[in-house]
Amino acid sequence: MTNQPIGVIDSGVGGLTVASELMRQLPKERLIYVGDTLRCPYGPRPKEEVIAYTWELVHFLLKRNIKMLVVACNTATAFTLEDLKSKLDIPVVGVIQPGARSAIKVTKNNKIGVIGTEGTIHSRAYPDALHHINSTIEVYDLACPDFVPMVESGVLSGSHAMQVVEGSLKPLKNHFEIDTLILGCTHYPLLRDAIQTVMGEHVTIISSGEETAREVSTILGYQKKLFQGNRKPRHEFYTTGKIEVFQNIARDWLQTDMNQVRRVELEEVVNYL
């Protein structure tokens, strides 16, 4: 059991921000990552479609005998996490609860902003998670639908990226005195520098990757499923879209050889277990 890989799913390349933190905190663990770049973004899609696509990703990984599933997509987490937990016999971790916990730890004025896809924002998953921990938190959320397509196309910096980020965040920056901002989409950390510049240094930016990886480590440790030997693991990366675009972004973000990225066609899942 300890030798089995950890499975990571995302709508595209954004989950690599979580994978990077998993690789840093758990350097002996092997990852199998699959990003559905062909059908990204998930944010504008109907809930039923997101659920169907998520289960296709999950079934792909279950065939590879994973010991744990990390849903590194906020929209998929919001729509499928509880169902996945109830139906799978392996631990399942999402990115919303860890992100909420991180934000509450650092806020000084209890005013927290959340940016995410339309699906994540409309689900109210972050306000619910934050208020479950602290009902006095003031939450100001904002959908930023232009961010994911920009990241998936490889535009992470420069004048165009700054223009898009500034225009998208204007309502949040101009009307609310937040001191903490949750990046409620795993694509958004790839735009972190631009977001920080626009929001100002007084706003603490929260990415859920670090806290999610910590939770994965804790769960695997408690269940005695951490790999015990010595090795430099060989990770596997799959994409449903163009390999070259995935490789370029992944190589820059993970600072590792990405020549082993493979394209995969997912099978439709009729019965969700």
Side-chain angles (χ1 to χ4, degrees), residues 1 7 148:
M1 177 68 77
V148 172

Side-chain angles (χ1 to χ4, degrees), residues 151 156 162 165 169 181 183 187-199 201 203-210 253:
V151 169
L156 308 179
M162 281 298 300
V165 171
L169 297 182
L181 178 64
L183 304 184
H187 284 72
Y188 294 3
L190 293 161
L191 298 170
R192 185 182 186 121
D193 290 347
I195 293 170
Q196 187 75 75
T197 299
V198 170
M199 295 304 297
E201 292 301 322
V203 175
T204 301
I205 305 295
I206 298 295
S207 173
S208 59
E210 183 177 346
W253 186 255

Side-chain angles (χ1 to χ4, degrees), residues 6-12 14-19 22 31-35 42 50-51 53-59 61-62 66 68-86 88 90-99 120 126 183-187 208-209 211-213 215-216 219:
I6 298 169
V8 184
I9 62 171
D10 182 52
S11 62
L16 293 171
T17 60
V18 178
L22 287 167
L31 304 184
I32 301 181
Y33 180 103
V34 54
Y42 280 8
V50 173
I51 292 171
Y53 292 171
T54 301
W55 273 104
E56 290 177 17
L57 295 168
V58 171
H59 273 263
L61 290 175
L62 290 178
I66 59 173
M68 186 171 195
L69 174 67
V70 179
V71 185
C73 172
N74 284 265
T75 305
T77 297
F79 291 158
T80 70
L81 185 65
E82 296 309 314
D83 190 41
L84 291 169
K85 283 184 173 181
S86 69
L88 299 181
I90 57 174
V92 182
V93 171
V95 288
I96 290 175
Q97 288 286 347
T120 299
Y126 271 101
L183 304 184
C185 173
T186 51
H187 284 72
S208 59
E211 193 75 18
T212 300
E215 186 166 325
V216 169
I219 292 172

